[in-house]
Amino acid sequence: ALEQPSAAIGLALVARRGHDPDIAKLLRHDLEERANSELRGALCIAVGLSGDLEAAPIVRKLASERGDPEVRAQAAMALGLLGDRDGGPPVLRALLQDPSSTTQREAAYALGMLGDREAVKVLLDLVEDGGSVYVQGSAAVALGRIGGSESVASLTAMLRDKRRPAIARAMAAVSLGLLLDRTEGRRLSSIGADLDWYA
């Protein structure tokens, strides 16, 4: 039960590094054929990591089907990892209304990865009242990745609201950082690159 999902992720990383179409094809085939939910979820992530855009229709179907919310959540993340900008955003926007907070959270994050500007209004609503603090946080980070000045007021209010849980406020800070530094922190990380961390 543990070895197969781990093997799928390991193969995906090999496929990603070496652009190996045979491994990608194997992962895509297993994603279609395997019924075990735990393995299927890992295969979604594996397909996403492998960058196999040919698998996008399969992943979209899994994300859209009623069934295991964990698999749907992992399929949502896979669409973001794949960079499925053509067919992924409509599926992911629909998942923002899903009753599962896990699915909502991953869909929000994936929309941020895809930079979907059409999702900004719904993501702002989730920041205001997303039910789960993790949904609110993922929506905030997605807004930071998407960019745009329309998100600043809501994110700043979230950061300043001391009644909000610390994790939600922290995610608002991350999001504002992403809005300010469009390199996703790479510029900032270069400042500490030469520091002696042991000291």
Side-chain angles (χ1 to χ4, degrees):
L2 292 174
E3 289 172 4
Q4 288 181 342
S6 299
I9 300 295
L11 282 169
L13 294 172
V14 170
R16 184 181 189 98
R17 180 174 289 163
H19 304 288
D20 189 321
D22 292 333
I23 293 175
K25 184 177 177 182
L26 171 73
L27 293 170
R28 188 180 340 123
H29 174 268
D30 276 6
L31 180 59
E32 279 189 295
E33 299 299 321
R34 301 295 185 113
N36 175 297
S37 289
E38 190 171 311
L39 178 56
R40 199 166 232 199
L43 284 164
C44 283
I45 298 300
V47 162
L49 288 171
S50 75
D52 178 23
L53 265 173
E54 286 185 50
I58 303 163
V59 177
R60 280 185 229 130
K61 184 174 184 251
L62 285 171
S64 300
E65 289 176 347
R66 293 286 167 226
D68 187 337
E70 288 294 324
V71 172
R72 296 178 78 213
Q74 289 162 324
M77 178 54 69
L79 292 172
L81 290 168
L82 281 170
D84 182 22
R85 286 178 175 78
D86 293 333
V91 172
L92 293 167
R93 279 185 239 122
L95 289 177
L96 292 178
Q97 310 305 322
D98 196 87
S100 163
S101 62
T102 303
T103 305
Q104 285 182 327
R105 183 186 72 220
E106 299 303 317
Y109 199 76
L111 283 163
M113 293 170 79
L114 297 177
D116 183 41
R117 296 221 37 89
E118 288 185 46
V120 168
K121 169 75 173 91
V122 180
L123 291 168
L124 283 168
D125 290 344
L126 287 174
V127 164
E128 293 299 322
D129 184 26
S132 158
V133 68
Y134 298 105
V135 171
Q136 293 171 17
S138 289
V141 171
L143 289 168
R145 285 177 152 254
I146 293 168
S149 59
E150 66 271 27
S151 304
V152 173
S154 291
L155 294 170
T156 304
M158 184 180 192
L159 179 62
R160 289 182 173 159
D161 186 352
K162 304 245 190 251
R163 294 168 298 168
R164 293 229 189 197
I167 187 72
R169 295 176 65 222
M171 298 306 270
V174 167
S175 182
L176 288 165
L178 290 169
L179 280 170
L180 292 169
D181 180 2
R182 301 309 296 158
T183 66
E184 297 193 356
R186 287 185 289 278
R187 235 184 275 149
L188 189 59
S189 66
S190 67
I191 294 169
D194 296 326
L195 293 179
D196 181 357
W197 293 102
Y198 290 109

